[in-house]
Amino acid sequence: MSNLWDLSHIQPQPNSVLDGDTLSAMFWNAVAQRGDTVWLREKHLGIWRSLSWRQTGAAVREIAGGLMSLGFAAGDTASILSNTVIEWVLADLAILSCGGVSNGIYPTDAASQVHYLCEDSRTRVLFVEDDEQLDKALEVREHLPLLRQIVVFDMKGLRDLDDEGVIGLEALRQLGREYNAAHPDELDRRVAACRPEDLAILVYTSGTTGKPKGAMHTHAGLVYTVRGYNTLISRTEADECMCFLPLCHIAERMGGQYFSLYTGAKLNFVENPDTVPENVREIAPTVFTAVPRVWEKFYSGVMIALKEGTWLQQAVYGWGIGIGHQIAERVMAGQPVSGALKAKFTLARWLALDNVRKLIGIHKARFLVTGAAPISPELVKWYLALGVPMLEVWGMTETCGASTGVPVDRIKPGSIGPAASFNEVRLDPDTGEIQVKGPNLFAGYLNLPEQTAETFTADGWLRTGDVGTVDADGFFRITDRMKDIIITAGGKNITPSELENELKFSPYITDAVVIGDKLPYLTVIIMIDQENVEKYAQDHDVPFSNYASLTRAPEVQELIQGVIDDVNKKFARVEQIKKFFLLDTQLSAEDEELTPTMKLKRKLVQTKYAPQIEAMYRG
């Protein structure tokens, strides 16, 4: 178990742990080096199944053989339309081993989006998870003349399908076994022929300001960055990790799959997105990377459970977390922790804090990692007070993931840390924009040379679009997106993310979008936490029939107003929120208002709910 005053066990590892100058070479070196050691674990129908490196290699070899039997050539693109499952990883590594280009598609994308992404990437083979995803592919197949074959991971419900253009994964593996028997050296030749400068993967941006753009990453950039990650965030073969975020997003692709490929850490796949809370308690990861939405949900769950506890349990927790905060403050200030305080913290953990950690599933975690969106500094401090360091990283698709990271021995909540050792980071002196330079940068946007050129400065720095500051220690802080900064009608510059983070710290608020650009005062659109607000309503005898009626209940409106009032006390009068609107539709990843990482899309929300926003400014 981690102790806040002993950080030696989580220091970065600068030495290379696996050879290979392409991802495919690195993978096959890992198979040879790690053999029968378990790498991948997945829970299916209540039972955990494991794949060793050798078994993973055998499966990848068969899938790769199947692809080659279909005429899949080096440089061809294959896309994967699936949730985060083991088969996603197997298909991805097989594509790369063939010398192909691997592209991920979000399982929540509509058929029209699948069409655009396959057409833009010139997809030859499309892997889909099941019949639901297959339906999307079949709907647009006739408009994709380059698409040769669709491969289905799970053929359940498709036994009667008679379509030459569709094949099950097991049937593809059988083709692969036959092809490999007839051409035993072909896959090894393909792997050896792959060059570091070759295109390896496409990662499409969310497309909130137009059609998605395919960010191109080469083998060289990916290998360079994944080696650099271990100098930023330590990971070893002894670590247990969770794989549950979308693998087509750069965060899970790099920080999950490829980083674990490099370090040998075990990858545990959850049953489905809804079972994450249960699965994390089973897996008890030693290293846990997630987006702020997940950390906020865990915190909310603890707060709600605490309210149901006895007065004694509440008192003991209050004392224990207070001791934890005392230690956290000393650690953050670089001050020594006395023996007496250590003893109190040991007692606090025994009485209360260890139970909280077990409730979440972080009782074995050496540290936590948060990224992909801003997080409340108070939330970082809370996890620190539990005794688990939380490290914030920052980056984007175009930087191949993390470009900065908070060092474990210098945690500064609210900061994204200094530049990682593998790249340079600077502020534009005129705009305050954060800019990045290094071998980890992407190779440009597919088919979009003009937009690629616009993304870089004349001297080769990537324009990130994030505005920030840097302190005397070189620690950067994101203040907002350049396009999101609010200038009120009175000329006051407002950073909406600061207010939004404070609001999201409440267990009753899942997300918030602050409005006020060129307007007389600030308002906010809020998405409530359904589970916690429903619990509040039930405990306080608030009548409601559905989600919409819950958001309209006067008692719920008063509850949220109370949260806003508390947040307003922390800000100057011109920065305070005057009115709010609760979204009355229960949103999921399938809804256009949410990004794949479950954040509200600011511009889309402002456009879609324009009448409600206008109503908050009438009179």
Side-chain angles (χ1 to χ4, degrees):
M1 294 184 187
S2 62
N3 293 312
L4 272 176
W5 56 83
D6 178 15
L7 306 174
S8 59
H9 59 299
I10 47 181
Q11 293 298 332
Q13 303 296 320
N15 298 325
S16 177
V17 299
L18 187 65
D19 291 335
D21 57 4
T22 64
L23 277 176
S24 44
M26 190 177 277
F27 168 67
W28 289 105
N29 286 339
V31 171
Q33 183 173 309
R34 296 171 183 147
D36 294 323
T37 304
V38 170
W39 182 32
L40 307 175
R41 295 177 71 238
E42 183 175 51
K43 193 172 187 183
H44 183 62
L45 299 178
I47 300 173
W48 285 98
R49 63 177 178 129
S50 300
L51 284 181
S52 68
W53 286 91
R54 198 182 312 281
Q55 290 170 320
T56 304
V60 169
R61 186 173 289 276
E62 290 176 359
I63 296 170
L67 287 172
M68 291 186 290
S69 74
L70 297 175
F72 189 76
D76 282 352
T77 299
S79 293
I80 307 171
L81 173 61
S82 167
N83 282 289
T84 299
V85 293
I86 280 182
E87 288 79 9
W88 208 112
V89 172
L90 301 180
D92 181 59
L93 293 172
I95 296 163
L96 295 174
S97 295
C98 289
V101 179
S102 179
N103 172 52
I105 302 177
Y106 287 105
T108 54
D109 280 356
S112 59
Q113 294 167 303
V114 173
H115 171 252
Y116 170 76
L117 295 172
C118 287
E119 182 179 56
D120 190 62
S121 62
R122 300 178 65 83
T123 292
R124 307 293 180 133
V125 176
L126 175 61
F127 290 89
V128 300
E129 183 178 4
D130 51 23
D131 55 346
E132 178 186 350
Q133 304 299 344
L134 176 62
D135 286 343
K136 299 177 189 177
L138 294 179
E139 186 178 332
V140 299
R141 179 173 58 176
E142 65 181 32
H143 304 297
L144 295 170
L146 294 179
L147 183 62
R148 295 179 191 155
Q149 195 78 41
I150 300 171
V151 182
V152 185
F153 292 158
D154 182 0
M155 289 290 286
K156 189 170 75 173
L158 296 171
R159 292 193 181 120
D160 297 329
L161 180 70
D162 184 15
D163 189 321
E164 291 183 356
V166 181
I167 188 173
L169 183 64
E170 286 306 314
L172 180 73
R173 290 179 64 169
Q174 177 58 37
L175 288 178
R177 287 189 285 271
E178 296 168 3
Y179 182 89
N180 292 335
H183 309 84
D185 300 324
E186 179 58 20
L187 183 61
D188 294 335
R189 188 194 68 76
R190 290 274 192 107
V191 171
C194 186
R195 304 265 59 88
E197 62 272 16
D198 290 346
L199 180 60
I201 68 172
L202 295 170
V203 180
Y204 277 84
T205 60
S206 59
T208 55
T209 55
K211 286 189 177 296
K213 302 187 293 288
M216 300 184 289
H217 288 283
T218 65
H219 283 274
L222 294 166
V223 169
Y224 171 84
T225 308
V226 83
R227 291 189 197 281
Y229 271 22
N230 224 27
T231 68
L232 183 65
I233 300 168
S234 160
R235 196 176 288 182
T236 72
E237 289 188 32
D239 277 317
E240 297 276 356
C241 304
M242 270 182 61
C243 195
F244 68 102
L245 299 171
L247 274 164
C248 43
H249 191 282
I250 196 68
E252 192 69 89
R253 192 79 159 277
M254 281 295 296
Q257 180 189 349
Y258 295 156
F259 194 18
S260 289
L261 187 163
Y262 174 64
T263 60
K266 293 183 184 68
L267 269 187
N268 295 274
F269 291 74
V270 301
E271 290 177 89
N272 60 66
D274 296 329
T275 62
V276 170
E278 294 80 15
N279 291 157
V280 69
R281 287 192 285 270
E282 284 184 85
I283 295 165
T286 58
V287 177
F288 193 179
T289 301
V291 295
R293 176 83 177 263
V294 173
W295 302 125
E296 291 157 1
K297 191 73 175 173
F298 287 154
Y299 170 78
S300 297
V302 171
M303 293 300 102
I304 296 300
L306 191 62
K307 287 185 178 181
E308 297 177 343
T310 65
W311 68 267
L312 180 60
Q313 289 171 322
Q314 293 172 357
V316 170
Y317 166 82
W319 174 80
I321 201 71
I323 296 298
H325 276 296
Q326 289 182 46
I327 288 187
E329 292 296 334
R330 283 165 172 75
V331 170
M332 289 186 292
Q335 299 171 351
V337 180
S338 68
L341 199 51
K342 289 181 182 180
K344 286 183 180 179
F345 187 64
T346 299
L347 180 60
R349 287 186 59 174
W350 183 74
L351 289 174
L353 303 187
D354 278 354
N355 289 333
V356 173
R357 288 161 62 154
K358 287 176 182 175
L359 179 65
I360 298 172
I362 57 172
H363 49 290
K364 294 183 180 179
R366 298 191 292 121
F367 59 90
L368 312 173
V369 180
T370 182
I375 190 169
S376 166
E378 295 305 314
L379 199 58
V380 175
K381 292 177 185 176
W382 183 76
Y383 282 99
L384 276 169
L386 288 180
V388 191
M390 176 175 277
L391 311 179
E392 188 165 1
V393 299
W394 169 87
M396 53 197 301
T397 299
E398 291 82 351
T399 65
C400 204
S403 282
T404 73
V406 173
V408 71
D409 55 354
R410 287 192 296 163
I411 294 175
K412 291 186 181 182
S415 165
I416 56 170
S421 61
F422 50 84
N423 62 192
E424 300 175 78
V425 181
R426 74 177 186 186
L427 291 183
D428 182 279
D430 298 322
T431 64
E433 181 186 36
I434 296 177
Q435 299 177 345
V436 182
K437 194 175 191 179
N440 54 314
L441 296 187
F442 77 135
Y445 296 117
L446 181 69
N447 306 323
L448 297 170
E450 291 183 5
Q451 292 193 41
T452 298
E454 292 170 0
T455 305
F456 290 91
T457 65
D459 52 350
W461 289 79
L462 176 75
R463 306 178 195 271
T464 68
D466 279 332
V467 178
T469 60
V470 62
D471 65 18
D473 296 324
F475 280 61
F476 289 87
R477 182 174 176 268
I478 301 287
T479 53
D480 224 312
R481 293 289 292 170
M482 290 183 71
K483 60 188 178 184
D484 290 343
I485 291 176
I486 291 173
I487 303 177
T488 65
K492 175 66 177 177
N493 281 32
I494 304 290
T495 301
S497 60
E498 291 185 9
L499 284 156
E500 291 160 359
N501 285 338
E502 290 288 346
L503 290 168
K504 289 188 289 183
F505 192 56
S506 164
Y508 301 114
I509 295 177
T510 291
D511 209 348
V513 173
V514 172
I515 311 294
D517 195 43
K518 301 180 181 64
L519 295 167
Y521 51 84
L522 299 184
T523 60
V524 65
I525 295 175
I526 286 174
M527 182 164 64
I528 63 171
D529 185 295
Q530 181 194 5
E531 183 180 350
N532 291 342
V533 174
E534 279 187 357
K535 180 77 172 56
Y536 176 88
Q538 291 162 357
D539 290 345
H540 293 80
D541 297 322
V542 178
F544 68 95
S545 57
N546 54 30
Y547 185 84
S549 68
L550 180 68
T551 64
R552 294 171 189 147
E555 296 88 346
V556 171
Q557 293 277 327
E558 290 173 13
L559 173 69
I560 301 303
Q561 183 65 64
V563 174
I564 292 172
D565 291 343
D566 289 340
V567 169
N568 277 341
K569 294 173 185 176
K570 301 179 182 181
F571 293 88
R573 184 179 297 274
V574 295
E575 298 173 314
Q576 293 179 356
I577 296 166
K578 306 301 181 188
K579 296 182 180 181
F580 69 92
F581 164 71
L582 300 185
L583 291 175
D584 60 5
T585 304
Q586 187 178 352
L587 301 177
S588 68
E590 283 78 14
D591 292 292
E592 62 177 352
E593 291 98 322
L594 293 179
T595 69
T597 51
M598 302 300 285
K599 294 180 294 184
L600 283 170
K601 296 178 182 177
R602 185 180 303 276
K603 300 298 183 187
L604 192 149
V605 164
Q606 287 180 260
T607 302
K608 187 167 184 175
Y609 297 97
Q612 290 89 338
I613 293 172
E614 289 171 10
M616 290 191 286
Y617 289 95
R618 290 195 193 118

PDB file of all heavy atoms in Angstrom, residues 301-312:
ATOM      1  N   GLY A 301     -19.885   8.848  -4.875  1.00  0.00           N
ATOM      2  CA  GLY A 301     -20.365   7.617  -4.266  1.00  0.00           C
ATOM      3  C   GLY A 301     -19.990   7.524  -2.794  1.00  0.00           C
ATOM      4  O   GLY A 301     -20.786   7.090  -1.953  1.00  0.00           O
ATOM      5  N   VAL A 302     -18.771   7.935  -2.480  1.00  0.00           N
ATOM      6  CA  VAL A 302     -18.316   7.916  -1.083  1.00  0.00           C
ATOM      7  C   VAL A 302     -19.109   8.914  -0.248  1.00  0.00           C
ATOM      8  O   VAL A 302     -19.535   8.621   0.870  1.00  0.00           O
ATOM      9  CB  VAL A 302     -16.804   8.224  -0.997  1.00  0.00           C
ATOM     10  CG1 VAL A 302     -16.375   8.421   0.458  1.00  0.00           C
ATOM     11  CG2 VAL A 302     -16.003   7.099  -1.633  1.00  0.00           C
ATOM     12  N   MET A 303     -19.320  10.113  -0.794  1.00  0.00           N
ATOM     13  CA  MET A 303     -20.053  11.143  -0.051  1.00  0.00           C
ATOM     14  C   MET A 303     -21.496  10.714   0.225  1.00  0.00           C
ATOM     15  O   MET A 303     -22.030  10.949   1.312  1.00  0.00           O
ATOM     16  CB  MET A 303     -20.033  12.459  -0.827  1.00  0.00           C
ATOM     17  CG  MET A 303     -18.665  13.113  -0.940  1.00  0.00           C
ATOM     18  SD  MET A 303     -17.923  13.529   0.671  1.00  0.00           S
ATOM     19  CE  MET A 303     -16.736  12.176   0.854  1.00  0.00           C
ATOM     20  N   ILE A 304     -22.119  10.089  -0.759  1.00  0.00           N
ATOM     21  CA  ILE A 304     -23.495   9.625  -0.575  1.00  0.00           C
ATOM     22  C   ILE A 304     -23.538   8.497   0.453  1.00  0.00           C
ATOM     23  O   ILE A 304     -24.406   8.470   1.336  1.00  0.00           O
ATOM     24  CB  ILE A 304     -24.095   9.154  -1.908  1.00  0.00           C
ATOM     25  CG1 ILE A 304     -24.188  10.333  -2.893  1.00  0.00           C
ATOM     26  CG2 ILE A 304     -25.456   8.521  -1.701  1.00  0.00           C
ATOM     27  CD1 ILE A 304     -25.050  11.482  -2.422  1.00  0.00           C
ATOM     28  N   ALA A 305     -22.597   7.558   0.360  1.00  0.00           N
ATOM     29  CA  ALA A 305     -22.539   6.456   1.328  1.00  0.00           C
ATOM     30  C   ALA A 305     -22.308   6.982   2.740  1.00  0.00           C
ATOM     31  O   ALA A 305     -22.867   6.464   3.713  1.00  0.00           O
ATOM     32  CB  ALA A 305     -21.436   5.474   0.941  1.00  0.00           C
ATOM     33  N   LEU A 306     -21.503   8.010   2.851  1.00  0.00           N
ATOM     34  CA  LEU A 306     -21.189   8.589   4.155  1.00  0.00           C
ATOM     35  C   LEU A 306     -22.433   9.189   4.796  1.00  0.00           C
ATOM     36  O   LEU A 306     -22.644   9.082   6.018  1.00  0.00           O
ATOM     37  CB  LEU A 306     -20.105   9.654   4.002  1.00  0.00           C
ATOM     38  CG  LEU A 306     -19.464  10.189   5.286  1.00  0.00           C
ATOM     39  CD1 LEU A 306     -18.745   9.075   6.028  1.00  0.00           C
ATOM     40  CD2 LEU A 306     -18.509  11.322   4.968  1.00  0.00           C
ATOM     41  N   LYS A 307     -23.274   9.829   3.968  1.00  0.00           N
ATOM     42  CA  LYS A 307     -24.495  10.431   4.504  1.00  0.00           C
ATOM     43  C   LYS A 307     -25.439   9.378   5.075  1.00  0.00           C
ATOM     44  O   LYS A 307     -26.268   9.671   5.942  1.00  0.00           O
ATOM     45  CB  LYS A 307     -25.203  11.230   3.411  1.00  0.00           C
ATOM     46  CG  LYS A 307     -24.493  12.539   3.063  1.00  0.00           C
ATOM     47  CD  LYS A 307     -25.282  13.350   2.066  1.00  0.00           C
ATOM     48  CE  LYS A 307     -24.579  14.670   1.773  1.00  0.00           C
ATOM     49  NZ  LYS A 307     -25.331  15.511   0.812  1.00  0.00           N
ATOM     50  N   GLU A 308     -25.315   8.141   4.584  1.00  0.00           N
ATOM     51  CA  GLU A 308     -26.163   7.060   5.078  1.00  0.00           C
ATOM     52  C   GLU A 308     -25.571   6.391   6.309  1.00  0.00           C
ATOM     53  O   GLU A 308     -26.218   5.556   6.948  1.00  0.00           O
ATOM     54  CB  GLU A 308     -26.373   6.006   3.978  1.00  0.00           C
ATOM     55  CG  GLU A 308     -27.107   6.535   2.760  1.00  0.00           C
ATOM     56  CD  GLU A 308     -27.241   5.486   1.666  1.00  0.00           C
ATOM     57  OE1 GLU A 308     -26.505   4.487   1.716  1.00  0.00           O
ATOM     58  OE2 GLU A 308     -28.086   5.665   0.773  1.00  0.00           O
ATOM     59  N   GLY A 309     -24.318   6.735   6.641  1.00  0.00           N
ATOM     60  CA  GLY A 309     -23.646   6.125   7.771  1.00  0.00           C
ATOM     61  C   GLY A 309     -24.134   6.677   9.098  1.00  0.00           C
ATOM     62  O   GLY A 309     -24.885   7.652   9.168  1.00  0.00           O
ATOM     63  N   THR A 310     -23.674   6.055  10.183  1.00  0.00           N
ATOM     64  CA  THR A 310     -24.020   6.526  11.526  1.00  0.00           C
ATOM     65  C   THR A 310     -23.225   7.780  11.854  1.00  0.00           C
ATOM     66  O   THR A 310     -22.238   8.107  11.188  1.00  0.00           O
ATOM     67  CB  THR A 310     -23.705   5.444  12.558  1.00  0.00           C
ATOM     68  OG1 THR A 310     -22.287   5.233  12.596  1.00  0.00           O
ATOM     69  CG2 THR A 310     -24.403   4.128  12.207  1.00  0.00           C
ATOM     70  N   TRP A 311     -23.649   8.480  12.910  1.00  0.00           N
ATOM     71  CA  TRP A 311     -22.915   9.691  13.305  1.00  0.00           C
ATOM     72  C   TRP A 311     -21.491   9.341  13.703  1.00  0.00           C
ATOM     73  O   TRP A 311     -20.570  10.121  13.477  1.00  0.00           O
ATOM     74  CB  TRP A 311     -23.639  10.404  14.455  1.00  0.00           C
ATOM     75  CG  TRP A 311     -23.609   9.637  15.765  1.00  0.00           C
ATOM     76  CD1 TRP A 311     -24.534   8.767  16.230  1.00  0.00           C
ATOM     77  CD2 TRP A 311     -22.558   9.694  16.744  1.00  0.00           C
ATOM     78  NE1 TRP A 311     -24.162   8.244  17.442  1.00  0.00           N
ATOM     79  CE2 TRP A 311     -22.930   8.815  17.789  1.00  0.00           C
ATOM     80  CE3 TRP A 311     -21.362  10.385  16.852  1.00  0.00           C
ATOM     81  CZ2 TRP A 311     -22.155   8.608  18.919  1.00  0.00           C
ATOM     82  CZ3 TRP A 311     -20.577  10.185  17.988  1.00  0.00           C
ATOM     83  CH2 TRP A 311     -20.971   9.310  19.006  1.00  0.00           C
ATOM     84  N   LEU A 312     -21.306   8.127  14.269  1.00  0.00           N
ATOM     85  CA  LEU A 312     -19.962   7.711  14.666  1.00  0.00           C
ATOM     86  C   LEU A 312     -19.077   7.493  13.445  1.00  0.00           C
ATOM     87  O   LEU A 312     -17.917   7.923  13.416  1.00  0.00           O
ATOM     88  CB  LEU A 312     -20.037   6.433  15.506  1.00  0.00           C
ATOM     89  CG  LEU A 312     -18.687   5.871  15.999  1.00  0.00           C
ATOM     90  CD1 LEU A 312     -17.964   6.906  16.875  1.00  0.00           C
ATOM     91  CD2 LEU A 312     -18.899   4.567  16.755  1.00  0.00           C
TER      92      LEU A 312
END
